[in-house]
Amino acid sequence: MVSIDELPIWLVDDDPDVRESLGQWLEVSDLAVRPFAEATAALAALAAGDACGVLVSDVKMPGMDGLALLDAVQRLEEPPPVVLITGHGDVPMAVAAMQAGAWDFVEKPFSPERLEECVRRALERRRLALENRRLRHALREGDLAGRLLGRAPAMLRLRDQLANLAPVRANVLVHGETGSGKEVVARCLHELGPGPDTPFVALNCGALAPELIESELFGHEKGAFTGAQERRIGKLEHASGGTLFLDEVESLPLAAQVKLLRALQEGEITRLGSNAVQRIDLRVVAAAKVDLLALAAEGGFREDLYYRLAIAELALPPLRERREDIALLFRHFCHQAAEVHDRPLREPDAALSQALERHAWPGNLRELRNAATRFILGLEIPCLGTAAAADENSLAAQVTAFEAALLRAALGRHGGNIQAVMEELELPRRTLNQKMQKHGLRREAFLDGSDDS
């Protein structure tokens, strides 16, 4: 099976010279190419399930022409983007093609660079569409890829390691920065291991006062100390039969570390204020933001507890080390935010996409989710302010801003009347909808003739 990153460009043209020249150019640009002399052959290969990233087709061909091919491709369940090559000045036909679902068209004569740019944009959209479909399927199937999104090599290794470790009862130590998804990893280990019918208990060791840690871990009897008005089952006992997730385990006081080590070694605990021994059987998934061995060398963590917890170790890569996943994750979080807050889905423009890729993301996935939510709510994203401002004077940013201003003005003049805006700007309905979505413009905001978007 061809991976998403290896999807070929299908080139459909009855002229062998054109197929050869364009094919060579695309291959020199590190794009895989599959040529077809007839539209019917390409359609048959698509129907057979052959992998296709983008379909580039000439319009004027004997037999089935490019428009007929476009129509047939659009009827498929997962159609690839179609780029049509049209004759000079054939604007009505190009408009009809866009209305029929073409991704874009390239007008003859054109430079190879223009075709390459168009194909790369379409290929990225195809990759995202296929990845989203795969992730939706994975979510339905409960697959790891649906819980730990990303196609960076580090994420592929992590998912393989999780699949291997989940059925095993060994303790696991998870290393990762703030917001990198350590609890998600712990839940994956639990749900693919002991299963949802067993307890998953989470405790943030850094969020509790030192004097409360032992009570939380081991529980207490009524009257064991001032304020202990009733018996309390501790986290270790409550998690027996399942998984205990200890986040920020480096924050455990040394006295609690000694008792935790003994509990894990002996498989038993004694509640505070009691002499009765309670048997426990559980797996511990501990998470740390620091190097525990280095901390142990400084006297801040017990080395023997480290070895008890780190039967297996997993490392979560920070977002800055998996930048190829940022666009996918941002769109995923945008989908979530749009659904939660009942807002229309928006697509990031080029300037925002570039700013997302450049940002260091010290808060990792948590920070990225926050940025996506603010984007869907139409709010500024403070962490990207400097990066986005650097692009304000670029040609792409100015063109984007000008296009948004034209659309906003036309919607305001016509009080949100879409048909009137289409006629004034000479845009087909599909294109206008896409551009309004791109710039976060909603028809409802202009119904009274005022621009309050």
Side-chain angles (χ1 to χ4, degrees):
M1 181 177 179
V2 178
S3 73
I4 291 175
D5 291 326
E6 298 172 346
L7 290 171
I9 310 302
W10 288 17
L11 192 57
V12 185
D13 199 303
D14 61 305
D15 188 331
D17 293 334
V18 172
R19 290 199 306 274
E20 182 178 2
S21 61
L22 291 182
Q24 288 178 350
W25 174 266
L26 293 173
E27 287 174 345
V28 167
S29 302
D30 294 326
L31 294 169
V33 177
R34 182 177 177 181
F36 291 88
E38 298 177 346
T40 52
L43 188 60
L46 276 176
D50 290 5
C52 175
V54 180
L55 193 152
V56 180
S57 174
D58 193 13
V59 171
K60 299 296 179 65
M61 294 184 294
M64 175 181 278
D65 65 12
L67 291 177
L69 175 60
L70 169 65
D71 182 65
V73 169
Q74 291 302 105
R75 299 175 189 274
L76 300 176
E77 183 178 355
E78 293 286 345
V82 177
V83 176
L84 293 177
I85 300 175
T86 68
H88 176 66
D90 202 351
V91 175
M93 187 266 289
V95 171
M98 297 295 286
Q99 290 176 325
W103 165 262
D104 206 345
F105 65 93
V106 180
E107 187 181 40
K108 297 178 182 178
F110 59 87
S111 67
E113 292 86 356
R114 164 77 175 92
L115 177 63
E116 181 192 348
E117 177 191 6
C118 178
V119 164
R120 286 195 182 278
R121 285 190 288 107
L123 185 60
E124 181 59 25
R125 176 56 62 89
R126 175 67 164 167
R127 285 172 175 157
L128 288 170
L130 291 178
E131 181 75 0
N132 286 336
R133 183 185 69 171
R134 186 181 67 80
L135 292 175
R136 286 195 302 270
H137 174 73
L139 280 170
R140 287 194 299 270
E141 298 298 321
D143 190 83
L144 277 171
R147 300 290 303 277
L148 293 166
L149 310 186
R151 46 182 188 254
M155 294 304 296
L156 298 179
R157 287 195 301 272
L158 177 62
R159 290 199 291 266
D160 287 342
Q161 292 171 325
L162 278 171
N164 181 49
L165 287 173
V168 182
R169 299 278 294 176
N171 296 334
V172 178
L173 178 60
V174 183
H175 302 277
E177 296 181 1
T178 297
S180 58
K182 296 186 288 294
E183 184 167 350
V184 174
V185 167
R187 289 187 179 276
C188 287
L189 285 167
H190 172 75
E191 291 171 13
L192 296 177
D197 296 331
T198 60
F200 177 88
V201 179
L203 176 66
N204 189 320
C205 303
L208 293 171
E211 60 270 18
L212 297 178
I213 286 285
E214 291 188 26
S215 174
E216 284 290 328
L217 282 173
F218 306 105
H220 61 254
E221 297 290 342
K222 179 178 180 180
F225 52 83
T226 303
Q229 299 179 357
E230 58 184 15
R231 172 188 288 178
R232 178 182 176 85
I233 302 298
K235 302 298 187 186
L236 284 160
E237 187 176 351
H238 184 48
S240 188
T243 303
L244 174 64
F245 174 57
L246 295 177
D247 198 8
E248 298 187 35
V249 70
E250 67 271 17
S251 301
L252 274 179
L254 288 172
Q257 292 181 33
V258 174
K259 293 187 176 181
L260 175 61
L261 174 62
R262 184 184 182 283
L264 297 180
Q265 286 176 336
E266 304 299 330
E268 60 186 33
I269 60 99
T270 303
R271 302 186 196 119
L272 300 183
S274 172
N275 293 320
V277 173
Q278 309 294 330
R279 298 295 301 175
I280 58 172
D281 178 24
L282 75 163
R283 171 163 65 179
V284 175
V285 179
K289 295 182 293 185
V290 301
D291 184 337
L292 291 186
L293 274 181
L295 185 61
E298 299 170 358
F301 198 84
R302 291 188 62 93
E303 188 173 350
D304 47 5
L305 177 59
Y306 164 80
Y307 288 115
R308 173 63 59 175
L309 295 174
I311 303 300
E313 297 187 71
L314 296 173
L316 272 70
L319 203 51
R320 63 181 176 276
E321 293 179 7
R322 44 185 293 221
R323 293 188 182 276
E324 60 266 52
D325 291 338
I326 290 176
L328 171 67
L329 289 164
F330 186 76
R331 285 176 171 82
H332 173 73
F333 292 142
C334 282
H335 277 274
Q336 288 185 335
E339 183 175 347
V340 168
H341 298 286
D342 193 23
R343 291 292 183 92
L345 188 63
R346 298 175 62 195
E347 287 289 334
D349 58 22
L352 177 56
S353 296
Q354 292 171 8
L356 289 169
E357 291 182 4
R358 284 199 303 265
H359 185 56
W361 299 109
N364 292 293
L365 298 177
R366 190 176 294 121
E367 183 184 7
L368 184 63
R369 180 186 284 110
N370 179 273
T373 301
R374 295 184 68 88
F375 175 67
I376 289 298
L377 296 178
L379 304 174
E380 292 184 0
I381 307 177
C383 67
L384 302 182
T386 302
D391 286 333
E392 285 181 356
N393 295 323
S394 69
L395 177 61
Q398 292 184 61
V399 169
T400 298
F402 181 65
E403 182 180 72
L406 284 178
L407 289 170
R408 192 176 289 111
L411 286 163
R413 279 193 299 274
H414 297 292
N417 186 317
I418 297 298
Q419 185 62 40
V421 174
M422 289 166 53
E423 292 174 358
E424 177 185 333
L425 299 181
E426 298 182 2
L427 288 175
R429 179 63 177 260
R430 180 188 180 93
T431 303
L432 178 59
N433 287 344
Q434 289 174 340
K435 291 184 180 296
M436 288 177 63
Q437 184 182 55
K438 171 184 175 182
H439 298 294
L441 299 174
R442 302 179 64 190
R443 171 179 174 271
E444 293 80 1
F446 300 90
L447 291 181
D448 61 356
S450 64
D451 178 6
D452 60 358
S453 67

